[in-house]
Amino acid sequence: MKLALLGAGGINTLVAHALANGSAGKVDVVAVIGSSPASASAAALAKHLDAPTVAPEDLTGTGCDWVLEAAGSTAVHDHIPAIWRAGIDTIIMSIGAMIDPMIEQEYAHARRRGVSVVLPSGGIAGLDGVRALHAGGGLQRVRITTTKAPAGLRGAPHLERHNIDLPDDAAITVFEGSARDAVAGFPANVNVAIALSLAGVGPDATEVIVRSDPSATRTRHLIEAEGDAATLEVTITSKPSPSNPRTSYLAGASAVAAVREIAVR
């Protein structure tokens, strides 16, 4: 497996450590791509993996057969379609980008050409149950409530647009709406909501609540799904990534699992 890492944040840092210690399978990392050619984090990952850093536009010339994207929705929009057109398979961690109309169209074209696109579960669980309820018909309601410490939410576009201050002495609800609106307002926080929506009733019908809680030492997701066949409740409490409080450690672990599964297969 010849792998290129697109992004050098918390997720790919965890993946790099797993690759370096051999716990992610037999993988040859052929390139690391950061947010810019001068990215210090990309240089550090590349050195750790004994791989070169390249610019995004040079990625298709690296000889990779898989790209692991963990660089955010903008990177998906700007770089992934060209990667798909080159016939390179991908693991997409910034699942929020998958509801962008242009990406949806490019994704459909890629799948028709036989390009593999893996969408890991990220920082949540229970998607298999939601898919089963949806496939069986009668899935009526899906909701996810995400609770994070203020540090994990500050800087989100929704908070900036609405001038919402996050108190350090009280828990507050900062958003209630659809998964589509949630990922626009919290692009670094609620990719899990889009993953859930794609498993079930879609981004417009999936309900999202985002809460800020100073007492939260870990990220908490509560998934509630109601269907004719069953009612599903799943609670996930996960540590934040050591290098990025906005990223779930579990999301990084799901990326490692995806790489390992592909490498073994």
Side-chain angles (χ1 to χ4, degrees), residues 184-195:
F186 299 87
N189 299 106
V190 292
N191 275 304
V192 292
I194 298 302

Side-chain angles (χ1 to χ4, degrees), residues 154-166:
R154 288 193 175 109
H158 176 81
L159 303 181
E160 300 290 331
R161 272 197 307 269
H162 298 280
N163 295 316
I164 299 174
D165 291 324
L166 303 182

Side-chain angles (χ1 to χ4, degrees), residues 127-215:
L127 298 186
D128 53 345
V130 173
R131 288 192 191 97
L133 287 175
H134 183 55
L139 179 59
Q140 301 154 3
R141 185 182 189 188
V142 180
R143 178 171 61 196
I144 180 169
T145 301
T146 294
T147 303
K148 288 194 172 190
L153 294 170
R154 288 193 175 109
H158 176 81
L159 303 181
E160 300 290 331
R161 272 197 307 269
H162 298 280
N163 295 316
I164 299 174
D165 291 324
L166 303 182
D168 290 318
D169 57 356
I172 61 169
T173 296
V174 296
F175 176 86
E176 292 186 61
S178 70
R180 187 181 299 277
D181 291 338
V183 80
F186 299 87
N189 299 106
V190 292
N191 275 304
V192 292
I194 298 302
L196 178 63
S197 75
L198 294 177
V201 295
D204 296 307
T206 301
E207 303 169 30
V208 178
I209 298 171
V210 179
R211 289 182 53 78
S212 169
D213 186 348
S215 69

Side-chain angles (χ1 to χ4, degrees), residues 55-250:
E57 56 269 23
D58 297 328
L59 192 151
T60 56
T62 61
C64 65
D65 45 35
W66 281 88
V67 172
L68 169 55
E69 176 282 319
S73 295
T74 299
V76 173
H77 187 277
D78 292 347
H79 307 306
I80 291 299
I83 293 168
W84 287 338
R85 291 186 209 117
I88 299 171
D89 299 326
T90 55
I91 303 167
I92 303 295
M93 298 304 300
S94 303
I95 296 180
M98 298 302 293
I99 64 170
D100 176 282
M102 185 274 282
I103 295 298
E104 284 183 322
Q105 186 177 41
E106 292 284 353
Y107 174 55
H109 291 330
R111 293 294 300 274
R112 283 196 292 271
R113 292 195 302 270
V115 176
S116 294
V117 181
V118 175
L119 304 175
S121 58
I124 56 173
L127 298 186
D128 53 345
V130 173
R131 288 192 191 97
L133 287 175
H134 183 55
L139 179 59
Q140 301 154 3
R141 185 182 189 188
V142 180
R143 178 171 61 196
I144 180 169
T145 301
T146 294
T147 303
K148 288 194 172 190
L153 294 170
R154 288 193 175 109
H158 176 81
L159 303 181
E160 300 290 331
R161 272 197 307 269
H162 298 280
N163 295 316
I164 299 174
D165 291 324
L166 303 182
D168 290 318
D169 57 356
I172 61 169
T173 296
V174 296
F175 176 86
E176 292 186 61
S178 70
R180 187 181 299 277
D181 291 338
V183 80
F186 299 87
N189 299 106
V190 292
N191 275 304
V192 292
I194 298 302
L196 178 63
S197 75
L198 294 177
V201 295
D204 296 307
T206 301
E207 303 169 30
V208 178
I209 298 171
V210 179
R211 289 182 53 78
S212 169
D213 186 348
S215 69
T217 58
R218 299 187 178 188
T219 298
R220 181 177 183 269
H221 302 289
L222 171 62
I223 296 171
E224 301 167 280
E226 299 174 12
D228 292 341
T231 298
L232 175 71
E233 287 191 8
V234 179
T235 301
I236 307 100
T237 304
S238 62
K239 294 180 180 179
S241 164
S243 59
N244 186 350
R246 292 187 177 89
T247 300
S248 163
Y249 185 87
L250 188 59

